[in-house]
Amino acid sequence: MKTLTVALPGREYDILIARGLLPQAGERVRAVLPKAVKLAVVTDTNVGPLYYNRVKASLEASGFECRAVVIPAGEASKTPSLLAQLWEEFMDFGLTRTDGVVALGGGVVGDLAGFAAATVLRGVGLVQLPTTLLAQVDSSVGGKVAVDLAHGKNLAGAFYQPRLVLMDPDALDTLGLRQFMDGMAEVVKYGCIWDGDFFDSLAARPSREELAADIEHILYTCCSAKRSVVMEDERDTGARMILNFGHTLGHAYELAGRYVEWTHGEAVAAGMCAAARLGVLLGVTPADTPQKIEALCAALGLPTSIPCSAEDYAAAIGLDKKGAGADITLILLDRIGHAVPRRLPKKQLVGLVSSLP
């Protein structure tokens, strides 16, 4: 088993990575929630039938009383109204401040359950059991929890660290190819912003079979990078902004597809390619970098560009949380493996990206 510790003072927690961890959830959760009696296990209509019963059996064997709270699968569930439903279900269950919430699923479940745990009773213990690649390499680590608003994604949320993250690569075996590659976009991001050798290793073996054979190393590398950034800048005011490489424009592509045509990872892949082209235009990024990123994304079956109107660019950029007044911080690459922030006016960014080939 691989272990990483996110050493935030007073909010330390471990990330455990090993095959077969889900059936061991009970003893692991008991170690971090020793006083808990009840656990509300939030899952969705896809993941629940696959994994809830075995997780429940393990939790009950460690003395927990469990209740499944099942939400519809998909981004449409990340709403304030469903958040309120979770609060009411937790209260119906009799959850107390010494009890906990377990998020069993992908990024939507983790974000929604995490925000519910952060706010019900002013905060109860949270355990993340991510079952998608995107959630394992990115969203389950770092404490960002949120719901979407009518204006855009993740606009109401909090920073709330889990007590434990358990990553079982066996759960990835049930993912379809598109969902697996959706998560690979975030993996590529870590190669782009943090580790050029890791990027090269992905480019050398981009098939699902080759990636799956080395999945523990991939998870560890990505989580180690994110852990380092989060420990330096937990609340996303400085160094942590580099984790948003590809996301500013990716959010515009999600908006252009009305959040149904493109997955988050697909939009981020196109966003990284566009950011690389912008970096060249701005004199920050080496000229051969966009081609390298585009080649890897294409090999993974991810889009390298997505049609987007100036209006959708403007809407997404205007709501981006890295904005400050009329300006925004865009994350660019000065080489593969190293990201740099570039502050520029939002109107200038809209004009530049709208003119990209």
Side-chain angles (χ1 to χ4, degrees):
M1 182 168 64
K2 298 179 182 293
T3 303
L4 289 161
T5 300
V6 182
L8 294 167
R11 298 176 307 289
E12 299 90 349
Y13 61 94
D14 287 337
I15 305 164
L16 306 182
I17 304 169
R19 293 189 179 275
L21 267 184
L22 284 181
Q24 302 175 29
E27 60 188 275
R28 306 288 180 182
V29 176
R30 176 56 72 192
V32 298
L33 295 175
K35 296 180 181 180
V37 175
K38 297 184 177 184
L39 294 177
V41 182
V42 182
T43 189
D44 68 25
T45 49
N46 288 341
V47 175
L50 294 171
Y51 299 113
Y52 174 69
N53 283 339
R54 71 182 77 172
V55 169
K56 177 188 177 185
S58 179
L59 294 172
E60 289 181 341
S62 291
F64 295 109
E65 180 184 348
C66 299
R67 175 180 289 190
V69 182
V70 183
I71 65 171
E75 188 72 25
S77 288
K78 244 173 67 175
T79 63
S81 60
L82 203 49
L83 173 66
Q85 288 182 39
L86 260 60
W87 291 332
E88 297 297 345
E89 291 222 32
F90 294 167
M91 293 300 93
D92 287 344
F93 184 36
L95 213 66
T96 71
R97 293 190 71 180
T98 57
D99 294 322
V101 170
V102 175
L104 174 64
V108 169
V109 168
D111 282 358
L112 179 64
F115 195 20
T119 47
V120 73
L121 302 174
R122 296 193 174 91
V124 299
L126 170 66
V127 173
Q128 293 276 9
L129 304 184
T131 60
T132 66
L133 181 56
L134 190 148
Q136 290 188 356
V137 300
D138 194 69
S139 63
S140 67
V141 176
K144 281 187 176 181
V145 294
V147 296
D148 303 336
L149 302 181
H151 282 84
K153 288 187 62 174
N154 300 328
L155 293 179
F159 292 93
Y160 194 69
Q161 302 297 338
R163 303 286 183 88
L164 178 68
V165 183
L166 295 181
M167 294 184 186
D168 188 341
D170 284 344
L172 305 181
D173 294 342
T174 57
L175 298 181
L177 181 61
R178 185 184 185 190
Q179 195 174 21
F180 182 87
M181 292 307 182
D182 176 57
M184 280 304 302
E186 294 285 357
V187 175
V188 171
K189 178 192 76 176
Y190 285 105
C192 287
I193 68 172
W194 194 260
D195 189 335
D197 291 338
F198 181 57
F199 181 95
D200 292 340
S201 73
L202 298 172
R205 44 172 176 67
S207 74
R208 178 169 182 170
E209 293 73 22
E210 291 168 308
L211 295 166
D214 198 31
I215 196 65
E216 288 93 341
H217 173 69
I218 290 171
L219 296 177
Y220 183 89
T221 300
C222 295
C223 291
S224 179
K226 186 161 190 179
R227 173 191 64 164
S228 297
V229 174
V230 169
M231 287 193 301
E232 182 178 348
D233 175 26
E234 180 183 4
R235 293 187 171 263
D236 204 11
T237 58
R240 187 169 178 168
M241 287 187 182
I242 68 169
L243 297 175
N244 290 293
F245 176 62
H247 285 62
T248 296
L249 303 180
H251 290 158
Y253 301 141
E254 288 184 276
L255 176 61
R258 300 302 176 255
Y259 302 102
V260 294
E261 185 171 357
W262 306 101
T263 67
H264 176 71
E266 288 166 346
V268 166
M272 291 189 292
C273 294
R277 295 194 292 271
L278 273 176
V280 174
L281 193 64
L282 292 167
V284 176
T285 305
D288 62 344
T289 300
Q291 187 277 328
K292 291 179 180 178
I293 297 174
E294 289 168 9
L296 177 51
C297 288
L300 295 168
L302 295 166
T304 59
S305 64
I306 290 175
C308 187
S309 68
E311 291 75 18
D312 284 337
Y313 277 129
I317 290 168
L319 290 170
D320 193 287
K321 293 177 286 297
K322 295 179 294 303
D327 294 340
I328 190 167
T329 300
L330 183 67
I331 306 304
L332 303 173
L333 303 179
D334 61 5
R335 63 182 184 275
I336 288 182
H338 190 259
V340 292
R342 176 72 178 263
R343 191 178 178 92
L344 68 164
K346 293 176 182 177
K347 286 186 177 179
Q348 181 186 0
L349 176 56
V350 172
L352 287 171
V353 76
S354 297
S355 67
L356 284 176

